[in-house]
């Protein structure tokens, strides 16, 4: 894994900010520290990230879609058919 | 180790207070953003740190020494601003040679590389540069000096967007290569917030907050929606900023610690838009002059 | 941790002196300009006429006295100039404290005094050369003993440095308060008029006579060095409290 | 003029070199040209200057000494340099001699009576100076004349002749210690001319216009 300094250089951010990010990932178990060697990606990292994105990011996006649909008075059937249409289009490509 | 320590410093210019009982300290090798509105006292503070001026009251220590009239502090610090003066007889190359003689950490390859990159020529004269070029050159001097304490006062005045971006990247890269204590003053935080570790916010010569940038980003939330709902949800909460949108919509900002996560989720379900407030806006809200918003001026008429 | 740079006054002084020499190099342009102007004025010569014993004797003498006097004025102005804000602030762009700034200024003024004096003394030969070539080739010229040139140069340098010192103090007063830029010339003219009216050499003329009437080189040296040190110490202590308003 | 041409062309070349090279700043070029010109003129002046063998004349002292020496009749002690003219006039016995002059002030006549009556008046004209800042310019002095007409011996100063002297002078910072004064007084000095007459023992002398008679003991 990149060090905080390499990350700072890559994204033009303060290394302290990069370190903070790395620590957050470590807290969640996505990264782990090896003393004197730096940060490493844990074996279950992919699962954890997928789980997090499914449960938090995707859920939140769906919530917003539903809220917006309510505001525009779009019926449930209409919304579902829109999603299905998009899915088939993506699948074809 | 603390590089700068200020305790209750005040500075008066004739009868006008520029700084009032300012207390803070800056740790070694951190990039600190000195943020404040025009006239908040940023320049005065930097001049005090450089030892150009004396505090009217209070104690200021830089490298554990009084900076005024101090050769040691002068040798280890540099203040870069748009009024840096250089002899008219010296061209840019000569000025760089002089800086190299004075600052023993001076890194000539960096200076020459930057000079070349920004298309400044060595035989040109400082007083014939454009405003942006002047800032660029001063910045090069500030970076290549590699002083343990480097102070930038509004370093990007006159620079175009591309040069500003290059400058920030150059600053960060050289900081990574050669860590040092940097204070960067600016009135627009959004442009520099990615570079900063800490933010020192001053208003009317007083220190409003001194926090890591991360905490400033997390500090506030904004709530937007129908006036009636907002009133109901935000009862008894301290509002930092409020702006009316139309007759029955409102935009309010409050500290994150004022509301719990459950309360916010509840508010969202009731149709309010909850958003985090970025560091730059947070600072604007904090340094508000207390005279309401600009709209009020127009609403009176 | 980054190591801090240790520094001492002597090292900084040396750097500042070299820096000042390059930064203020243009004072030599004005020196050349002012000396050449004085050389031009010197072609009038110093004229004496006497008659008697069956003859009218018209004596025309050529010397660099005007050049020397112009050099004094140049020294005064140069010293005042380097006390002004832009010049003082050059130091603060780089490494300095107020003492090192003043000391390096004084070293610089000492150097320009000596250089200005050497050129002023040598310009005497330029004047005589041009007179010989273009105005009057019957000019009687005597070889000047090297010792005379040397003492003349030292004396001129001491005078010039005295003017520099006074200029530096005047500059210090003006930097302390802008009002002095009016008060000092008025005071100077006032005292000169006072001397003229009372026909007494009490103030300015007295001060001048204190130096030009001294025929003992040792006392002269003592008088100029003591006065310069006194004046410069006063100037340094004024600058020591000035803030940098850049 | 050849030397001048060479010098000027040297200076021109130096100027051209420094002005054409871009690395040099204007002030540096000016300084080098100026100092070069000063040094070249100094060397040149050294070659055309003459050795300074002037003695600073103490004018008052010299005048007094001169007058005293003549009054004592010790004219052999006067520097022959200052003897302008010697002339002898025949004089009849028991003739009365009137002395006159057209000198604008009174000219001093020292009368020295010989021990015998040999019928001869031997006249010598002495004159110190004029010195122009220590330089003796008597060569330019028009000759004084003595003329005997019947029983009048007249001393005639010729019509004013203009003499122009151009000199290099030392600077006041040199003279301050060398001569003890910053600005010299009148640099032109001359004593009034004096006439020394050796007359026969019993010659009667009458004082005419423009003379002052001093009898030598």
């Amino acid at each position: 894994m990149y060090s905080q300094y390499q990350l700072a250089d890559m994204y033009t951010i303060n290394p302290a900010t990069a370190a903070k990010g790395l620590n957050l990932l470590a807290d969640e178990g996505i990264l782990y520290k090896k003393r004197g060697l730096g940060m490493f990606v844990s074996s279950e990292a992919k699962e954890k990230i997928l789980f997090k994105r499914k449960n938090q990011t995707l859920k939140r996006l769906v919530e917003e879609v539903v809220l917006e649909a309510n505001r525009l008075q779009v019926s449930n059937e209409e919304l579902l058919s829109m999603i299905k249409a998009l899915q088939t289009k993506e699948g074809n490509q | 180790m603390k590089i700068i320590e200020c305790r209750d410093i005040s500075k008066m210019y004739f009868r006008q207070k520029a700084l009032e009982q300012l207390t803070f300290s800056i740790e070694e090798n951190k990039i600190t953003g000195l943020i404040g509105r025009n006239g908040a006292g940023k320049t005065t503070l930097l001049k005090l740190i450089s030892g150009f001026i004396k505090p009217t009251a209070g104690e200021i220590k830089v490298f554990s020494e009084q900076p005024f009239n101090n050769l040691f502090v002068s040798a280890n610090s540099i203040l870069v601003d748009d009024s840096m003066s250089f002899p008219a007889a010296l061209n840019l190359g000569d000025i760089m040679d002089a800086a190299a003689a004075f600052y023993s950490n001076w890194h000539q390859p960096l200076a020459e590389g930057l000079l070349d990159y920004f298309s400044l020529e060595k035989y040109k004269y400082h007083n014939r540069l454009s405003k942006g070029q002047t800032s660029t050159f001063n910045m090069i001097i500030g970076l290549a000096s590699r002083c343990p304490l480097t102070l930038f006062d509004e370093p990007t005045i006159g620079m175009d967007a591309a040069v500003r971006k290059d400058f920030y990247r150059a600053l960060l890269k050289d900081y990574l290569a050669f860590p040092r204590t940097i204070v960067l003053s600016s009135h627009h935080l959004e442009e520099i917030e990615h570079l900063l570790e800490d933010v020192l916010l001053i208003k009317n010569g007083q220190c409003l907050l001194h926090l890591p940038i991360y905490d400033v980003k997390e500090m506030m939330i904004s709530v937007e929606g129908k006036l009636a709902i907002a009133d109901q949800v935000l009862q008894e909460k301290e509002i930092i900023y409020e702006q009316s949108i139309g007759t029955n919509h409102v935009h309010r900002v409050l500290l994150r610690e004022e509301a719990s996560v459950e309360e916010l989720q509840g508010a969202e379900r009731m149709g309010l838009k909850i958003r985090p407030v970025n560091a730059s806006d947070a600072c604007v809200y904090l340094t508000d002059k207390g005279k309401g918003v600009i709209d009020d001026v127009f609403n009176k008429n | 941790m980054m190591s801090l740079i240790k520094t001492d006054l002597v090292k900084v002084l040396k750097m500042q002196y070299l820096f000042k020499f390059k930064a203020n190099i243009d004072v030599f342009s004005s020196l050349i300009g002012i000396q050449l102007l004085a050389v031009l004025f010197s072609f009038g010569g110093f004229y004496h006429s006497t008659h008697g014993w069956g003859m009218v004797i018209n004596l025309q003498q050529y010397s660099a006295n005007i050049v020397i006097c112009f050099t004094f004025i140049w020294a005064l102005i140069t010293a005042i100039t380097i006390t002004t804000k832009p010049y003082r602030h050059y130091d603060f762009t780089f490494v300095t404290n107020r003492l090192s700034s003043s000391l390096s200024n004084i070293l610089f003024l000492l150097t320009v005094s000596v250089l200005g004096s050497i050129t002023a003394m040598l310009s005497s030969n330029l004047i005589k050369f041009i007179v010989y070539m273009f105005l009057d080739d019957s000019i009687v010229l005597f070889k000047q003993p090297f010792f005379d040139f040397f003492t003349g140069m030292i004396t001129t340098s001491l005078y010039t440095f005295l003017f520099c010192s006074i200029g530096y103090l005047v500059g210090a007063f003006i930097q302390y308060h802008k009002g002095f830029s009016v008060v000092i010339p008025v005071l100077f003219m006032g005292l000169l008029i006072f001397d003229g009216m009372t026909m007494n050499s009490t103030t300015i003329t007295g001060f001048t006579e204190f130096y030009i009437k001294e025929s003992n080189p040792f006392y002269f040296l003592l008088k100029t060095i003591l006065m310069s040190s006194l004046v410069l110490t006063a100037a340094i202590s004024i600058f020591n409290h000035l803030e940098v308003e850049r | 003029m050849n030397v001048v041409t060479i010098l000027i062309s040297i200076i021109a070349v130096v100027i051209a070199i420094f002005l054409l090279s871009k690395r040099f700043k204007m002030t540096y070029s000016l300084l080098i040209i100026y100092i070069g010109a000063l040094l070249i003129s100094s060397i040149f002046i050294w070659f055309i200057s003459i050795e300074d063998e002037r003695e600073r004349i103490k004018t008052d002292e010299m005048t007094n000494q001169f007058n005293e020496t003549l009054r004592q009749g010790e004219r052999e002690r006067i520097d022959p340099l200052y003897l302008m003219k010697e002339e002898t006039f025949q004089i009849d016995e028991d003739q009365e001699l009137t002395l006159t002059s057209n000198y604008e002030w009174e000219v001093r006549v020292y009368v020295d009576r010989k021990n015998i009556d040999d019928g001869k008046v031997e006249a010598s004209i002495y004159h110190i100076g004029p010195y122009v800042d220590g330089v003796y310019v008597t060569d330019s002095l028009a000759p004084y004349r003595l003329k005997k007409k019947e029983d009048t011996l007249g001393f005639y100063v010729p019509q004013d002749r203009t003499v122009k002297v151009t000199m290099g002078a030392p600077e006041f910072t040199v003279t301050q210690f060398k001569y003890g004064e910053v600005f010299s007084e009148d640099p032109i000095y001359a004593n009034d001319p004096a006439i020394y007459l050796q007359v026969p023992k019993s010659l009667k002398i009458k004082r005419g216009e423009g003379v002052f008679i001093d009898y030598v003991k």
Side-chain angles (χ1 to χ4, degrees):
Chain A
M1 187 58 216
Y2 295 113
S3 76
Q4 79 239 45
Y5 299 108
Q6 285 164 310
L7 285 173
D9 190 2
M10 285 162 72
Y11 298 107
T12 323
I13 53 169
N14 191 290
T17 310
K20 183 117 192 161
L22 289 174
N23 280 334
L24 278 175
L25 292 177
D27 290 347
E28 286 172 17
I30 294 165
L31 299 177
Y32 65 96
K33 275 180 199 167
K34 262 190 192 171
R35 199 175 287 271
L37 294 171
M39 289 279 197
F40 291 88
V41 182
S42 63
S43 50
E44 62 269 37
K46 200 174 173 184
E47 278 167 49
K48 280 193 171 158
I49 292 169
L50 284 177
F51 180 79
K52 194 181 168 187
R53 285 178 77 161
K54 210 162 139 187
N55 274 292
Q56 290 185 9
T57 321
L58 189 60
K59 199 177 162 194
R60 199 180 163 80
L61 284 171
V62 171
E63 263 174 26
E64 265 184 45
V65 167
V66 172
L67 263 172
E68 185 70 13
N70 286 346
R71 278 193 210 112
L72 299 172
Q73 294 170 336
V74 176
S75 68
N76 285 354
E77 291 75 31
E78 212 177 332
L79 183 64
L80 281 171
S81 64
M82 277 168 83
I83 293 169
K84 276 191 181 134
L86 262 176
Q87 276 176 328
T88 40
K89 203 177 165 194
E90 285 279 315
N92 287 344
Q93 280 174 358
Chain B
M1 188 191 153
K2 286 187 170 106
I3 297 294
I4 306 170
E5 278 183 277
C6 290
R7 205 173 308 135
D8 294 330
I9 49 162
S10 300
K11 177 70 191 174
M12 309 265 286
Y13 283 119
F14 302 102
R15 283 206 192 130
Q16 191 148 11
K17 272 196 171 141
L19 292 177
E20 207 180 341
Q21 304 240 307
L22 197 64
T23 302
F24 71 96
S25 60
I26 287 179
E27 300 275 331
E28 188 180 20
N29 295 350
K30 281 193 175 181
I31 305 182
T32 305
L34 178 60
I35 310 298
R37 305 184 63 154
N38 295 330
K42 301 186 297 277
T43 302
T44 306
L45 180 59
L46 290 176
K47 284 195 322 195
L48 275 168
I49 296 168
S50 310
F52 288 3
I53 55 176
K54 259 188 293 199
T56 315
E59 194 183 41
I60 178 163
K61 291 232 164 132
V62 176
F63 306 114
S64 314
E65 292 189 23
Q66 305 270 3
F68 188 77
N69 236 350
N70 190 316
L71 213 52
F72 176 67
V73 172
S74 182
N76 286 289
S77 65
I78 185 167
L79 172 59
V80 177
D81 61 10
D82 66 330
S83 53
M84 249 178 145
S85 65
F86 296 105
L90 300 189
N91 63 28
L92 303 185
D94 296 332
I95 294 172
M96 295 202 320
D97 291 344
F102 280 108
Y103 293 110
S104 35
N105 287 339
W106 177 265
H107 194 54
Q108 185 72 12
L110 175 67
E112 282 185 359
L114 287 173
L115 204 69
D116 192 42
Y117 178 79
F118 290 111
S119 319
L120 291 167
E121 272 132 359
K122 269 190 170 185
Y123 61 82
K124 285 204 170 149
Y125 285 87
H126 193 263
N127 52 5
R128 290 191 205 130
L129 297 180
S130 73
K131 198 155 187 167
Q133 286 175 316
T134 306
S135 294
T136 308
F137 180 75
N138 294 356
M139 168 273 280
I140 294 172
I141 294 288
L143 281 184
S145 298
R146 289 188 163 174
C147 281
L149 175 60
T150 306
L151 310 163
F152 287 103
D153 190 12
E154 304 282 357
T156 55
I157 285 182
M159 289 184 188
D160 63 36
V163 175
R164 280 212 293 272
K165 216 172 153 219
D166 283 336
F167 162 57
Y168 293 132
R169 181 134 184 89
L171 176 76
L172 189 83
K173 281 193 83 94
D174 201 53
Y175 167 77
L176 291 172
F178 207 79
R180 65 196 102 154
T181 313
I182 295 175
V183 179
L184 197 58
S185 101
S186 181
H187 44 243
H188 28 241
L189 178 62
E190 73 270 21
E191 219 176 73
I192 57 168
E193 67 173 88
H194 56 285
L195 292 175
L196 303 180
E197 183 163 351
D198 285 354
V199 173
L200 176 64
L201 183 67
I202 59 172
K203 178 188 179 182
N204 299 335
Q206 286 173 308
C207 178
L208 270 188
L209 62 85
H210 186 197
L211 287 173
I213 184 78
Y214 186 82
D215 294 352
V216 179
K217 281 182 189 163
E218 298 279 298
M219 196 163 61
M220 293 184 195
I221 46 169
S222 92
V223 176
E224 204 182 318
K226 286 212 174 82
L227 182 63
I229 306 171
D231 277 347
Q232 189 199 331
V233 174
L234 301 177
Q235 265 172 31
E236 291 170 19
K237 296 205 187 328
E238 199 188 330
I239 307 298
I240 289 172
Y241 173 84
E242 180 170 329
Q243 188 188 8
S244 304
I245 305 165
T247 44
N248 53 3
H249 270 70
V250 76
H251 174 211
R252 284 174 179 168
V253 174
L254 66 156
L255 290 176
R256 192 178 286 268
E257 61 196 31
E258 291 267 321
S260 65
V261 180
E262 292 77 37
E263 277 180 307
L264 292 177
Q265 281 173 347
E268 215 162 11
R269 249 173 263 124
M270 291 173 78
L272 293 178
K273 270 191 186 163
I274 311 282
R275 265 189 253 122
V277 175
N278 66 32
S280 172
D281 287 341
C283 287
V284 171
Y285 298 145
L286 281 173
T287 54
D288 221 358
K289 290 210 162 115
K291 288 181 186 164
V293 290
I294 187 79
D295 286 8
D296 297 349
V297 176
F298 295 92
N299 291 343
K300 266 184 215 158
N301 300 327
Chain C
M1 158 175 166
M2 176 179 250
S3 60
L4 295 175
I5 294 133
K6 297 268 171 284
T7 191
D8 60 289
L9 187 63
V10 178
K11 208 174 119 193
V12 172
L13 259 185
K14 201 181 129 197
M15 289 189 294
Q16 271 189 311
Y17 173 73
L18 292 173
F19 169 63
K20 266 183 195 160
F21 208 80
K22 273 191 238 157
N24 300 340
I25 192 75
D26 288 337
V27 304
F28 293 108
S29 295
S30 61
L31 174 74
I32 294 169
I34 220 162
Q35 288 194 344
L36 286 178
L37 187 71
V39 164
L40 208 65
F41 288 156
S42 299
F43 294 140
F46 189 65
Y47 187 75
H48 274 291
S49 184
T50 308
H51 71 98
W53 330 286
M55 60 206 302
V56 175
I57 300 175
N58 294 328
L59 170 64
Q60 195 85 15
Q61 281 184 314
Y62 292 96
S63 73
N65 282 344
I66 298 175
V67 184
I68 292 175
C69 292
F70 273 46
T71 305
F72 292 163
I73 296 166
W74 166 81
L76 191 79
I77 293 167
T78 300
I80 294 174
T81 309
I82 67 166
T83 62
T84 54
K85 265 182 196 161
Y87 285 82
R88 275 193 304 133
H89 291 182
Y90 300 153
D91 292 345
F92 286 91
T93 299
F94 300 117
V95 179
T96 194
N97 63 9
R98 279 143 194 88
L99 181 67
S100 75
S101 173
S102 273
L103 288 179
S104 59
N105 277 337
I106 291 164
L107 284 178
F108 174 72
L109 290 178
L110 196 64
T111 315
V112 300
S113 298
V114 172
L115 265 167
S117 302
I118 293 174
T119 51
M121 291 298 286
L122 285 176
S123 75
S124 177
N125 292 327
L126 184 65
I127 294 164
K128 288 162 189 171
F129 174 76
I130 295 171
V131 170
Y132 177 82
M133 281 300 162
F134 306 107
L135 298 176
D136 187 349
D137 62 0
S138 68
I139 184 169
V140 183
L141 296 167
F142 295 104
K143 284 198 165 87
Q144 190 175 40
F146 181 72
F147 183 75
D148 280 4
F149 175 77
F150 188 71
T151 50
M153 205 199 74
I154 302 267
T155 314
T156 313
S157 303
L158 288 170
Y159 272 124
T160 313
F161 189 60
L162 189 64
F163 273 89
C164 280
S165 311
I166 293 167
Y168 200 65
L169 181 63
V170 169
F173 274 122
I174 293 171
Q175 292 307 311
Y176 183 75
H177 197 284
K178 285 277 164 287
F180 281 109
S181 59
V182 178
V183 172
I184 292 172
V186 167
L187 199 70
F188 178 79
M189 291 310 289
L191 288 175
L192 218 56
I193 291 165
F194 173 79
D195 275 358
M197 275 168 42
T198 57
M199 300 294 275
N200 259 335
S201 308
T202 35
T203 58
I204 306 285
T205 40
F207 182 81
T208 315
E209 283 177 6
F210 182 65
Y211 288 99
I212 62 169
K213 286 201 169 165
E214 180 56 67
S215 57
N216 182 320
F218 178 71
Y219 287 149
F220 180 79
L221 187 80
L222 215 63
K223 279 178 178 180
T224 43
I225 287 184
L226 279 180
M227 181 60 77
S228 295
S229 330
L230 204 72
V231 165
L232 289 173
T233 313
I236 290 174
S237 49
I238 291 173
F239 280 125
N240 229 12
H241 297 288
L242 281 190
E243 297 192 329
V244 180
E245 300 292 343
R246 113 176 161 190
Chain D
M1 268 325 257
N2 259 339
V3 187
V4 189
T5 333
I6 292 165
L7 279 177
I8 289 172
S9 41
I10 288 173
I11 294 169
V13 167
V14 172
I15 290 173
I17 288 170
F18 284 112
L19 289 186
L20 287 177
S21 63
K22 261 196 173 175
R23 282 191 57 226
F24 255 80
K25 287 207 175 107
M26 197 61 183
T27 308
Y28 287 113
S29 340
L30 279 176
L31 254 181
I32 287 167
I33 294 164
Y34 183 55
I35 291 175
L38 290 180
L39 289 177
I40 289 171
S41 59
S42 299
I43 293 165
F44 187 84
I45 288 295
W46 181 259
F47 282 111
I48 61 166
S49 294
I50 49 169
E51 214 62 57
D52 188 0
E53 283 162 345
R54 290 173 298 170
E55 273 178 49
R56 193 75 178 166
I57 319 151
K58 295 245 167 32
T59 50
D60 292 343
E61 209 174 295
M62 197 153 165
T63 307
N64 289 337
Q65 210 181 347
F66 175 73
N67 290 339
E68 194 53 35
T69 313
L70 287 180
R71 192 178 292 122
Q72 298 295 332
E74 297 166 345
R75 67 188 194 101
E76 59 279 0
R77 275 177 50 202
I78 304 267
D79 192 331
L81 182 71
Y82 302 137
L83 177 60
M84 304 274 102
K85 200 171 210 173
E86 273 184 307
E87 227 170 313
T88 306
F89 301 96
Q90 292 294 326
I91 197 136
D92 301 334
E93 251 175 87
D94 62 67
Q95 192 177 3
E96 198 186 59
L97 192 66
T98 309
L99 302 176
T100 61
S101 98
N102 72 341
Y103 192 58
E104 57 187 314
W105 314 108
E106 286 186 333
V107 66
R108 273 175 185 265
V109 181
Y110 295 92
V111 177
D112 184 6
R113 290 190 187 279
K114 294 185 267 196
N115 296 327
I116 42 164
D117 279 325
D118 57 355
K120 278 184 195 163
V121 173
E122 293 163 51
S124 312
I125 303 171
Y126 288 96
H127 188 196
I128 298 185
Y131 281 99
V132 177
D133 199 22
V135 177
Y136 194 48
V137 294
T138 308
D139 303 347
S140 318
L141 198 62
Y144 296 129
R145 280 187 304 133
L146 280 168
K147 206 171 173 188
K148 183 172 169 284
K149 201 176 176 189
E150 289 161 11
D151 51 3
T152 305
L153 182 66
F155 172 73
Y156 298 101
V157 177
Q159 284 245 299
D160 278 354
R161 158 196 285 205
T162 304
V163 177
K164 190 169 155 270
V165 182
T166 311
M167 293 180 85
E171 283 64 44
F172 72 89
T173 48
V174 176
T175 54
Q176 177 167 6
F177 304 126
K178 199 175 185 191
Y179 306 140
E181 58 194 0
V182 164
F183 298 106
S184 63
E185 306 154 24
D186 194 3
I188 301 167
Y189 163 73
N191 201 359
D192 288 330
I195 304 165
Y196 195 87
L197 287 182
Q198 284 175 296
V199 297
K201 192 175 160 191
S202 51
L203 180 72
K204 275 189 193 128
I205 289 173
K206 205 174 152 198
R207 180 184 167 198
E209 219 169 292
V211 293
F212 178 86
I213 300 173
D214 226 337
Y215 290 97
V216 175
K217 304 266 159 148

